[in-house]
Structures are given as C-alpha cells and as structure tokens.
Amino acid sequence: MTTRADRPATLDDVARLAGVSRSTASRVIAGTGFASTAARSRVTAAADQLGYVPDPAARALVRGAGVRLAVAASGESAAVLDDPYVEQVVAAAARVGGPYGLGVSLHWLPLAGSTELQRLAEDRGVRGVVLVNTTEPLLAALPRSLRGRVASLGVGSADVPSFDVDNGGGATQVLRHLYASGRRRIAMVAGPHWLPCTQRSVRAYERLARDAGLPVRLLPGDFTAERGRAAAREAVRRWPDTDAIFAVSDPTALGVLAGLRGHGIDVPGDVAVAGFDDIPLAALSAPALTTASHPVGRIATAAATALAEGARAAPITTFPSVLIPRESA
Amino acid sequence: MTTRADRPATLDDVARLAGVSRSTASRVIAGTGFASTAARSRVTAAADQLGYVPDPAARALVRGAGVRLAVAASGESAAVLDDPYVEQVVAAAARVGGPYGLGVSLHWLPLAGSTELQRLAEDRGVRGVVLVNTTEPLLAALPRSLRGRVASLGVGSADVPSFDVDNGGGATQVLRHLYASGRRRIAMVAGPHWLPCTQRSVRAYERLARDAGLPVRLLPGDFTAERGRAAAREAVRRWPDTDAIFAVSDPTALGVLAGLRGHGIDVPGDVAVAGFDDIPLAALSAPALTTASHPVGRIATAAATALAEGARAAPITTFPSVLIPRESA
DNA sequence: CCGGGGGTTGGGAACGATCCCACACCTGAG
DNA sequence: CTCAGGTGTGGGATCGTTCCCAACCCCCGG
C-alpha cells in the first residue's frame, strides 16, 4: 500500500514494480503458461502491494467472453421477477459473481420468449444465462450461439445442464407423511401447468393415490399465496371431506392456512396442511408449517459457479429435498 | 435479421452496412456529437437489422467506467446477505442494470469494513456501489476514489446521496394507530443499535411516550424472526401488563406473534402487535399483521438508476411509508 | 471572389488485458 | 560439440468501442 495512485493499478504497473514484462505478469496473474518461481513470487508480491485487481472489462474484451450472468426467469407476466424465489436466485448468483468479476442482470422471459432469448444471445455482455422456470419450448428455441453457456434451474437437455431439487422425492416424502398420519382424502394444489416440475410432483401424487387407492383431488396453482386462499375455499366446497391439503409451494400453503382459518376449519385437527420450499417464515405460521426443504441458494450457487468457471457441468445435478415435520401436518 | 452471423454484430458491421464510418456510427449509437439525419436513420436501421448491442466491456474499457454495480451490505456477519431485504435490493438493481449493460455483484461489508470498501474502490470492474445498512463510520471511511459513485440505502452524507423510506413517519403512524385504539403500555422491538435508522424510529417512539405520558419499554432487535420470539417472551416477563408490541420489522413481528401464541396470549385481544415493511406474507399470518409499508423495490430501483445513469442524485430522496391496518392491531 | 465558421465526417490513437510467436537459455543425449 | 526439446521471457497484435482531431463541405458576410 505504499504507492497509492488516484486510479487503480494496471497490469503494467505490476509488471514494472516486479521488474518483468507485461506478458510475464499476465501469465502469473492468470495462472496460465510458464513462469519461474522467482518471477511468480515477485509478481504476486507486487500485485498485492498495489492492490491490483484485473479489469474484467479488458479481460472480457480480449477473451470475447462477456462480463455478466443473465438470470432469465420465464412466467406469464413480468411479475415473476418479484417472486422471492427468483430474488434468491439472483442474490446467490450475484454473490458468486463478484470474485470472478461478473455481475448479474435479471430479465423476464415470456413463456414462448425466443425473441428475448435471441437478444440475450446477441448481447456480447452476456457471459452465460441462468434459466429459471425453464420450459420445453424455450429449451428447443435456444439459439445455437448460447450453447454451453446456459444452466437451467429446472429441466435441462443435451446442451443444457440442469440444476434442480428432487421435487418428486420431496413430494413423495410429504405425501407418505400425510398418509402415515392417517390422512386418506388428500387434495393437492399443484404448480403452473406449463412448468415441467409440476409434472413430477403430480406424478408422485398420482402414484400414491393409485397405490393406496386414494381419490385424486388436483387443483391448479401458481405458487402464490392468493391462489392458496382460493384453493382452500375450492377444496372445501368441492370435497367437504378432504382431510389434507398439500400445496407445492410454501406461500401457497400459507394461503391455504389462511383460507381454512376463514372457514373455521382447524389445522391440523380437521385438515392437515403441508407445503414445499421451507421458506424462513414457514416456521412462524400458526400452526407452524410442515414442508419439504428446497435449497434454492445452493442450487443457484452451483449453477452460477458452473457458468462462471466455464466448465462443462454434469448434465443433471439433483439436490435432495427432506421433510420438515412441524405442526400443520 | 437477414444477415445472421455466428457471432454478434460489432459497430464495424453496422457502419459498413449503413455505409458510414465507425466514428459516425458510434456517434449515432451513443447519441453524442453531430450526425446528419440521413446518417442517423441509416445507422439505426442497420443497427436493429443486425440486432446490434454495444459491447459493454469495450465501452467500459475505453470510458474507464466499470461494468457492474456492487451491492455492499454491512452487518455483523455474512448472514446479512441471506436477508430477504438485501435479496430484494439485489434483484431490483439487477433488473435496472440489464438495459445499461451493467451487472450486479453482492458483497458483505463488515461493520467497520473499510478494507472491503477499499477493495471495491480498487476494482476497475465496479462502476458504482449501493450501500445497504450504511453506518456513519463506513461513510467516513469511504475512499476518495469512490466519490460520486455511491448511493446509500439509509443515511447519506455530503458525498453520498441517500435513498430511504421515511421510517420515522411510518413508525409514528403505527404508534398513533396503537394509541388511538386504546393501547397505553406499548413495548417496542427496535433494530440493531448500530443502524442509524434505528435512532429515527426510537425517537418517534420516545416522542409519543413523552407526549402521551406512556412508559418506555425498549427491546433491542436485529430484524430476525427468532429475535421476535425471544422479545415476546422477554416483554411478557418484564412487563406483564404490556398491551401492544411494535416491532420495526415484519419478520420480527411475526416472531412476536408466534412467541405470544406460545404463551397463550391473544392477539389482538390481550396484546396488539404491529410490524414494519409490509412483506407479502404479513397479510397471511393469524391474525393478519398490521404494519407500515416499505417500498424496498422502488427505493433500490431509484438508487441503482441514479448510479447507472451517472447523474448526480438529489442528496436525500425519501419514500413515504403508509400504515396498513389489518387484524393484529 | 475570398475567408471564415458552423455542421458533418472519417482516420487513428487510446483503454487494459490476453495470447501468439519468436527468441534465449539450459540440460542431456548422441 | 552439436542439436533437440523443454522452460522461461518479452514484443507486438488484437478485442470493440470512444474520442480527439484534422479535413471537408457549404453557406454567408465582407
């Protein structure tokens, strides 16, 4: 910290201080190519004496690499971007990005939004894309030039590695728990029909229903709390003998709780309620919500890290979901 | 979309297609300097025919501007970064950044974290810094080179524009509401003592207590739900006649609700509870939480926009907070 | 008719890093 | 002793953009 110019140090400054050429300094800093141990130590010393941080812009420019990660969340409207789930993904990616000199930008992707995807592909600023709420058509419409620079939080494909929670497994655990505690008329509030993961949890539900000979009571959902309220009302009206409601999202489950309360129905006495995601507030509801964990932060971190490192990720990375039994079921 | 090369178009491609020089094209795209209307229209036509997006890296490099916005959240531990409030700020900034070719990175700033601040100042990748949970010492330790590129979500200074909610006003509204509904022994769960905004709400509380001759029952807090639970227990033990608890954060208030429920205390029958922030789930608790709004998204958007545009912002921008009366008070 | 002074244009030098390539050195085998 | 091949080094060219500056055109006043 002896020399403290007005402007940040450049590689030239480091090289000059270390008494080597810019090329050698570059090799040492980037950790690529040959360098004698003597040169290596002098360069690193000079670098942290000057507080040198490589300019990501210059680096990206010459490498043709792009300077930020784009998080593209698809949904029926731009309101998806206000979803706490998406916010968590962005925050995790932003945390990963810093050390790599990468920033994160957030974009709405209409359900069949190939145009927006094209735009992202044409933007030299974009190093990689994190797809949230990935759908099949979107995967099919993926521009060639994006290949190898995309990670999907959801379904993947041959070109697109997938990072996802095992929601089939999580749903199964929740449903077994419900069954084990004597519930026999279980309704389920699913996710949006266009979302592939909805299939998985619905399949888990249908399997249990078939195996145990239970009725299938499926309600469409959209992960929102408001929908949970409405779904509770609907379930009570259509199937008055329902003794459990499983919503595949905690906000929806909390909405269900509120809806049932409005009808004077006791939880878990009359009806058991379970959610999915284990959001922080799930532990605080009355009664505290039984749910299955969903390590969003870890998933997003893994996806962003893969993109930042530029390494080819495993085609499918699945994170386990575990049952968190509390009071509501 | 006639010409669709493998790689994104450059300014040269645009210039060539438009039949002008790179300089002229640059002037048109950047909207700086002279250009005939003829040239202007031909360049813009060529640009969107090729789907041209300027390379933020090259632009940042030559302008010496930096390519991302850093969100620096201070707190006692890196756990602040998991705070939904911080996540919301990051998401808002990431949404703003895209169109400017800016990404967002997220960093933890220890309470007296001048070193980390220095590092941010020395990073050429950083265009501007959004300070979250700003403290006075931090403001004092701000490196000179960061001047004019910082926005504070909280207190500001001569060099640092401030973007904040009117929490004094919000707190006053909540407290008046409590008083108006007959509560006379009001306890308050404050924010962290090192946070300047804590002062403001505490002052509002003390003013009401003095003016109306009420007892002062102040409990320290940290915005977490866990702390709310503990605070409820503490309040009940120390001041059994308490008839209202105001927590300056919704998660804390929900924790208070849970804590009181654990003691079999009825809300709002025995004790009224109010929060601050109006998080989405506040409407779903049992009873639904009375609170004051806190437009985090709008605040962060304003701060990020100011930084992205590079314009000098007004020294202080205050966003109103309004009372949201629900069932808990 | 000539000399400015606007509006408009293009050439070229930056910006800071990477990386290809040529070169220097050293060691050991033939 | 020479030569091959591995290790280490430095000189440019390069990425895509901005911006300074010189050159040009044209119109108008002297």
Side-chain angles (χ1 to χ4, degrees):
Chain A
M1 300 266 186
T2 34
T3 325
R4 168 72 61 227
D6 262 16
R7 286 201 312 278
T10 75
L11 190 55
D12 270 307
D13 300 331
V14 174
R16 207 169 310 125
L17 182 59
V20 298
S21 75
R22 204 179 52 245
S23 304
T24 303
S26 171
R27 262 175 257 126
V28 172
I29 301 288
T32 164
F34 296 108
S36 61
T37 43
R40 205 175 292 276
S41 63
R42 280 162 62 202
V43 169
T44 47
D48 62 37
Q49 179 181 337
L50 294 175
Y52 171 73
V53 179
D55 181 344
R59 194 173 257 194
L61 178 58
V62 66
R63 286 188 181 158
V67 83
R68 60 183 212 269
L69 261 25
V71 173
S74 61
E76 290 169 331
S77 80
V80 247
L81 304 186
D82 291 322
D83 190 326
Y85 170 67
V86 172
E87 289 175 347
Q88 242 178 303
V89 170
V90 173
R95 218 187 312 186
V96 170
Y100 294 93
L102 288 173
V104 175
S105 57
L106 176 58
H107 310 260
W108 172 50
L109 214 51
L111 284 187
S114 60
T115 311
E116 181 67 20
L117 219 40
Q118 188 66 42
R119 207 181 305 278
L120 252 24
E122 270 157 358
D123 188 335
R124 304 185 96 99
V126 174
R127 165 92 62 99
V129 178
V130 177
L131 251 28
V132 180
N133 290 353
T134 320
T135 65
E136 298 285 2
L138 233 35
L139 240 28
L142 204 69
R144 274 185 308 288
S145 60
L146 236 30
R147 261 185 217 171
R149 315 152 47 201
V150 180
S152 167
L153 266 41
V155 288
S157 70
D159 291 329
V160 180
S162 148
F163 297 80
D164 209 355
V165 67
D166 174 19
N167 38 32
T172 301
Q173 286 180 65
V174 170
L175 290 164
R176 289 224 182 103
H177 175 74
L178 254 21
Y179 186 85
S181 57
R183 310 292 169 167
R184 290 297 178 269
R185 290 170 303 272
I186 305 172
M188 166 155 159
V189 188
H193 66 275
W194 46 267
L195 209 50
C197 75
T198 296
Q199 319 279 337
R200 289 211 293 270
S201 35
V202 167
R203 222 172 303 140
Y205 174 66
E206 291 174 336
R207 186 167 339 115
L208 177 81
R210 181 165 30 78
D211 293 355
L214 307 185
V216 171
R217 302 178 169 180
L218 212 48
L219 256 19
D222 59 4
F223 296 155
T224 68
E226 207 33 68
R227 178 69 200 123
R229 257 203 167 97
R233 220 175 306 132
E234 202 175 331
V236 168
R237 188 172 47 75
R238 287 174 59 184
W239 310 295
D241 63 343
T242 293
D243 59 7
I245 301 181
F246 171 34
V248 295
S249 138
D250 277 356
T252 303
L254 293 174
V256 168
L257 241 34
L260 292 177
R261 198 185 316 127
H263 282 73
I265 295 172
D266 182 54
V267 177
D270 302 328
V271 176
V273 173
F276 198 112
D277 283 349
D278 191 29
I279 63 174
L281 295 179
L284 293 174
S285 60
L289 191 67
T290 292
T291 188
S293 65
H294 184 172
V296 183
R298 281 174 47 218
I299 298 176
T301 299
T305 304
L307 250 25
E309 305 243 287
R312 222 189 350 265
I316 295 185
T317 311
T318 302
F319 294 75
S321 170
V322 311
L323 178 75
I324 316 278
R326 283 196 272 247
E327 304 162 3
S328 71
Chain B
M1 299 265 188
T2 35
T3 325
R4 170 73 61 228
D6 261 18
R7 285 201 312 279
T10 75
L11 191 54
D12 270 308
D13 300 330
V14 174
R16 207 168 312 124
L17 182 60
V20 299
S21 76
R22 203 180 52 244
S23 304
T24 303
S26 170
R27 263 175 253 126
V28 173
I29 301 287
T32 162
F34 296 107
S36 60
T37 41
R40 206 174 292 277
S41 63
R42 280 162 64 200
V43 169
T44 47
D48 62 37
Q49 179 181 339
L50 295 174
Y52 170 73
V53 179
D55 182 344
R59 193 172 256 192
L61 177 58
V62 65
R63 286 188 181 156
V67 84
R68 61 184 210 270
L69 261 26
V71 173
S74 61
E76 291 169 331
S77 81
V80 247
L81 304 186
D82 292 321
D83 190 326
Y85 170 67
V86 172
E87 289 175 346
Q88 242 179 301
V89 171
V90 173
R95 213 180 326 179
V96 169
Y100 294 93
L102 289 173
V104 174
S105 58
L106 176 58
H107 310 259
W108 171 50
L109 215 52
L111 283 187
S114 59
T115 311
E116 181 68 19
L117 220 40
Q118 188 67 42
R119 206 180 307 276
L120 252 24
E122 271 157 358
D123 189 335
R124 303 185 97 100
V126 174
R127 166 93 61 100
V129 178
V130 177
L131 250 27
V132 180
N133 290 353
T134 319
T135 65
E136 297 286 1
L138 232 34
L139 240 29
L142 204 69
R144 274 186 308 287
S145 60
L146 237 29
R147 261 185 217 170
R149 318 151 48 201
V150 179
S152 168
L153 266 40
V155 288
S157 70
D159 291 330
V160 180
S162 149
F163 297 80
D164 208 356
V165 68
D166 174 20
N167 39 31
T172 301
Q173 286 180 65
V174 170
L175 289 164
R176 288 224 182 103
H177 175 75
L178 255 20
Y179 186 84
S181 58
R183 311 293 170 167
R184 291 296 178 271
R185 289 170 304 271
I186 306 172
M188 166 156 159
V189 187
H193 66 275
W194 47 266
L195 210 50
C197 75
T198 297
Q199 321 278 336
R200 289 210 293 270
S201 36
V202 167
R203 223 172 303 140
Y205 174 66
E206 291 174 337
R207 186 166 340 118
L208 177 83
R210 182 164 30 77
D211 293 354
L214 307 185
V216 170
R217 300 175 169 182
L218 212 47
L219 256 21
D222 59 4
F223 296 154
T224 67
E226 209 31 69
R227 178 69 198 122
R229 256 201 167 96
R233 222 174 306 132
E234 202 175 331
V236 169
R237 188 172 46 74
R238 286 174 61 184
W239 310 297
D241 63 343
T242 293
D243 60 7
I245 301 182
F246 171 35
V248 295
S249 139
D250 278 356
T252 304
L254 293 174
V256 168
L257 240 35
L260 292 177
R261 197 184 319 127
H263 282 72
I265 295 173
D266 181 55
V267 177
D270 302 329
V271 176
V273 173
F276 198 111
D277 283 348
D278 191 30
I279 63 174
L281 295 179
L284 293 174
S285 60
L289 191 66
T290 291
T291 188
S293 67
H294 186 171
V296 183
R298 282 174 47 218
I299 298 176
T301 299
T305 304
L307 250 25
E309 306 244 286
R312 221 190 346 270
I316 296 184
T317 310
T318 303
F319 294 76
S321 171
V322 310
L323 178 73
I324 315 278
R326 282 195 274 247
E327 304 163 2
S328 71

